[in-house]
Amino acid sequence: NTGSWDITQPLTPPSYILLTMALAMKLGLAPLHFWLPEVIQGSTMTTAFIITTWQKIAPMSLIFLTMNNLSTSIFLLMGLLSSLVGGWGGLNQTQTRKIMAYSSIAHLGWMATISSIMTNILIMNLLIYLIMTTSVFLSLIISKSKTIQDTTSTWTLSPTLTIIMMLSLLSLGGLPPLTGFIPKWLIMEE
């Protein structure tokens, strides 16, 4: 349509809406999130780890590059919806991979919300999310915990691992004195 292969060129409305929806589906943003919890639950812990971390970098890079051309209102709406769906969906889960899937949906909702306002907070939020999710998944992989019930027996194997897992999960949830609260606080400030 533009006569150029450069993705940073101004796009026509149908093309930027299509790009926005494609990136939202790849990230698992609501309302295009339905595939993410089931795929993560059906995969191994290592594959779930890759889907929730490494697979988010490319679409977030494209969002960062094309944010000037993408629809701000669509991203704000999807961000709000994703934060709500991720928070509510994870409440009644006992499977650790599904909890992490809904956590991914919620965190990406926060990132989608701030993407059109301040991209430096977006990058900081993405990096903190990747570090916290890596910590939780590595703890779950080491302890072989597939359900919340499995995590209760981790204390006898390694008290240090249990404490790290607990603090990482609380930080991922955004508890105020921990690291995961900082990006959410900055997003709310903006």
Side-chain angles (χ1 to χ4, degrees), residues 167-185:
L167 288 174
S168 297
L169 281 168
L170 290 173
S171 183
L172 200 58
L175 197 65
L178 300 171
T179 307
F181 176 70
I182 294 168
K184 292 179 181 176
W185 184 27

Side-chain angles (χ1 to χ4, degrees), residues 126-184:
L126 180 63
L127 290 175
I128 290 174
Y129 164 76
L130 292 174
I131 291 167
M132 290 186 308
T133 303
T134 300
S135 170
V136 170
F137 265 109
L138 290 179
S139 300
L140 292 172
I141 289 169
I142 291 168
S143 66
K144 296 178 176 66
S145 299
K146 295 195 183 331
T147 64
I148 295 297
Q149 188 68 28
D150 294 343
T151 61
T152 59
S153 62
T154 308
W155 182 263
T156 56
L157 300 171
S158 174
T160 308
L161 181 64
T162 307
I163 291 170
I164 290 170
M165 190 181 338
M166 178 192 67
L167 288 174
S168 297
L169 281 168
L170 290 173
S171 183
L172 200 58
L175 197 65
L178 300 171
T179 307
F181 176 70
I182 294 168
K184 292 179 181 176

Side-chain angles (χ1 to χ4, degrees), residues 7-8 59-70 119:
I7 199 165
T8 59
M60 291 306 284
S61 300
L62 287 173
I63 287 172
F64 180 77
L65 287 173
T66 60
M67 197 59 236
N68 295 334
N69 298 328
L70 300 179
T119 53

Side-chain angles (χ1 to χ4, degrees), residues 22-95:
L23 292 172
M25 184 177 285
K26 174 71 173 163
L27 288 170
L29 286 172
L32 306 168
H33 70 285
F34 295 107
W35 66 274
L36 189 63
E38 296 306 317
V39 167
I40 288 180
Q41 181 59 36
S43 61
T44 65
M45 198 66 84
T46 306
T47 305
F49 166 60
I50 291 169
I51 291 170
T52 56
T53 55
W54 186 257
Q55 292 294 314
K56 306 298 183 197
I57 295 172
M60 291 306 284
S61 300
L62 287 173
I63 287 172
F64 180 77
L65 287 173
T66 60
M67 197 59 236
N68 295 334
N69 298 328
L70 300 179
S71 173
T72 302
S73 57
I74 291 175
F75 265 103
L76 287 173
L77 182 65
M78 284 192 303
L80 178 65
L81 191 59
S82 294
S83 297
L84 291 172
V85 166
W88 282 335
L91 282 178
N92 203 21
Q93 298 299 323
T94 57
Q95 301 291 321

Side-chain angles (χ1 to χ4, degrees), residues 2 6-17 19 66 69-70:
T2 62
D6 189 5
I7 199 165
T8 59
Q9 294 294 324
L11 304 171
T12 60
S15 58
Y16 77 69
I17 290 172
L19 179 62
T66 60
N69 298 328
L70 300 179

